[in-house]
Amino acid sequence: MQDCGLLIHPEENCGLQPISLEYIEAISHPELKMCPSGDIKGQWIVPCLSCSDNRTCDWREITWQPHNCQHGVLTKPQLQQCLGGRKILFIGDSTNRGIMYYLIERLNETLQEWQKVHGTKLYPNVNGGKTLVSYSYYPQFWISPSLRPTFEKALEHLLQRENLLNILVIIKTLGIGFHLPVDGVHFLTQSEVQNVWKENMIILDAAKSYGYEVVDTFTITMGRYKEFLQGSCGCHFHEVVKSKLSQEFHFIKMKRSKNHTVGKYFSNQSKLQQDFVTNLQSPYHVRGPINQVCSEILLSRMCASKRTVRAP
């Protein structure tokens, strides 16, 4: 749930902890209910010979497991049908942009273009032209704070540009990756990171008070913050790489274990693995298991059953 190197909740356990057989059986139940929201607390589950030695763990099999529920993972046809005729608008920084490119690749099975967009860009060729995706970078940190447009202004500009009505708003919360001690880069102390968690809770409460959907990325990232990909201009839990003919399968494997299902989130759609085989005609590919989890939860909230409004 949290790394021992950066305790968010000092009163709770950190690092690898054994889970009971009863819990494994509970989350493996075929009728495990769907999660009602995107901020259900959970934990990363990984098979290990010993929880006291992380070298005995098969980290290729790590999965995100919400407590006592599962997020539905849609097949490509289900996703294409759900998002057909919709306009999807992403507003945020490069972490939102990574989720957007993941969505495009999921719908198209290919990612034909990729840019580090720091403005506004439209993507009309998604889902056979049936889904319009647009992105606006925010905040524009290179502009003086006194001249920088507010989030509301950025949102209003895109809503007017796209003539959007009947909107479902989904708020992605904060991530924890920017808090690694890196030379030349500002980072936060443990107490400051704990304050960020409190701020994250305020964001969640405020979003839900307005009736918005949420995806709590802070909880997902705080146990694996050391996997934050560092770079001079790219600091994310994802990376976009050029595809190679020899790379036939990039995504984390989602298959059942021999004796029981671990990680209902990834195993309830066994067909998903073959849907994710890299298209050899795709010049780019979005890689990163943490970004994948956050993106799939977002898609599940967009396409939750009994939805009466369209996704933004």
Side-chain angles (χ1 to χ4, degrees), residues 181-222:
V182 178
D183 290 340
V185 179
H186 174 71
F187 69 96
L188 304 182
T189 65
Q190 178 175 328
S191 61
E192 289 174 326
V193 175
Q194 291 170 349
N195 288 333
V196 173
W197 173 79
K198 296 177 182 177
E199 181 181 349
N200 193 73
M201 295 302 298
I202 293 174
I203 293 172
L204 284 170
D205 291 341
K208 289 188 286 188
S209 70
Y210 282 106
Y212 299 160
E213 287 277 0
V214 294
V215 177
D216 184 14
T217 50
F218 191 92
T219 301
I220 295 170
T221 56
M222 72 180 191

Side-chain angles (χ1 to χ4, degrees), residues 13-124:
N13 290 327
C14 65
L16 291 171
Q17 300 291 332
I19 55 176
S20 66
L21 179 61
E22 291 76 18
Y23 180 74
I24 294 176
E25 291 176 346
I27 62 176
S28 303
H29 195 279
E31 300 300 325
L32 184 66
K33 67 179 182 179
M34 292 294 176
C35 296
S37 67
D39 64 335
I40 301 299
K41 289 185 178 181
Q43 58 190 347
W44 291 97
I45 297 180
V46 58
C48 304
L49 296 177
S50 171
C51 287
S52 60
D53 187 353
N54 60 15
R55 296 172 299 179
T56 69
C57 302
D58 187 352
W59 294 100
R60 298 169 299 177
E61 300 292 335
I62 190 170
T63 60
W64 173 256
Q65 177 60 56
H67 292 330
N68 301 317
C69 65
Q70 62 175 314
H71 294 291
V73 180
L74 286 77
T75 63
K76 179 188 172 184
Q78 290 173 331
L79 189 62
Q80 289 176 326
Q81 181 179 6
C82 163
L83 299 182
R86 294 187 173 186
K87 296 180 179 180
I88 305 175
L89 172 61
F90 288 86
I91 304 179
D93 61 11
S94 53
T95 59
N96 283 31
R97 191 173 61 210
I99 292 176
M100 177 195 67
Y101 280 128
Y102 177 93
L103 178 146
I104 293 175
E105 188 176 6
R106 266 283 257 139
L107 279 169
N108 290 353
E109 284 191 342
T110 174
L111 186 60
Q112 293 295 323
E113 63 173 312
W114 169 74
Q115 296 172 311
K116 293 181 178 179
V117 179
H118 288 88
T120 300
K121 184 172 176 58
L122 304 180
Y123 300 86

Side-chain angles (χ1 to χ4, degrees), residues 139-281:
Q140 296 172 320
F141 54 83
W142 57 91
I143 300 178
S144 171
S146 61
L147 301 176
R148 189 179 302 165
T150 64
F151 180 82
E152 289 79 5
K153 288 294 183 182
L155 178 60
E156 288 175 4
H157 173 72
L158 280 168
L159 294 182
Q160 293 171 359
R161 179 173 177 173
E162 299 302 317
N163 191 29
L164 297 180
L165 299 171
N166 197 24
I167 299 170
L168 168 68
V169 178
I170 304 177
I171 302 295
K172 181 191 77 67
T173 63
L174 306 174
I176 199 173
F178 285 98
H179 313 309
L180 286 171
V182 178
D183 290 340
V185 179
H186 174 71
F187 69 96
L188 304 182
T189 65
Q190 178 175 328
S191 61
E192 289 174 326
V193 175
Q194 291 170 349
N195 288 333
V196 173
W197 173 79
K198 296 177 182 177
E199 181 181 349
N200 193 73
M201 295 302 298
I202 293 174
I203 293 172
L204 284 170
D205 291 341
K208 289 188 286 188
S209 70
Y210 282 106
Y212 299 160
E213 287 277 0
V214 294
V215 177
D216 184 14
T217 50
F218 191 92
T219 301
I220 295 170
T221 56
M222 72 180 191
R224 299 178 68 178
Y225 78 97
K226 291 179 180 178
E227 297 177 41
F228 193 65
L229 302 172
Q230 302 173 25
S232 58
C233 293
C235 302
H236 315 105
F237 284 105
H238 76 278
E239 60 180 341
V240 179
V241 297
K242 289 186 177 181
S243 298
K244 297 180 181 178
L245 294 179
S246 60
Q247 294 174 327
E248 297 181 355
F249 185 65
H250 296 291
F251 287 76
I252 55 178
K253 297 179 180 179
M254 303 168 228
K255 59 185 180 182
R256 299 179 184 277
S257 59
K258 294 181 180 179
N259 299 320
H260 53 259
T261 302
V262 176
K264 195 70 176 179
Y265 173 77
F266 283 125
S267 59
N268 67 336
Q269 293 286 353
S270 58
K271 187 175 180 293
L272 186 63
Q273 179 170 335
Q274 64 187 30
D275 287 342
F276 273 132
V277 174
T278 301
N279 189 326
L280 297 183
Q281 303 302 316

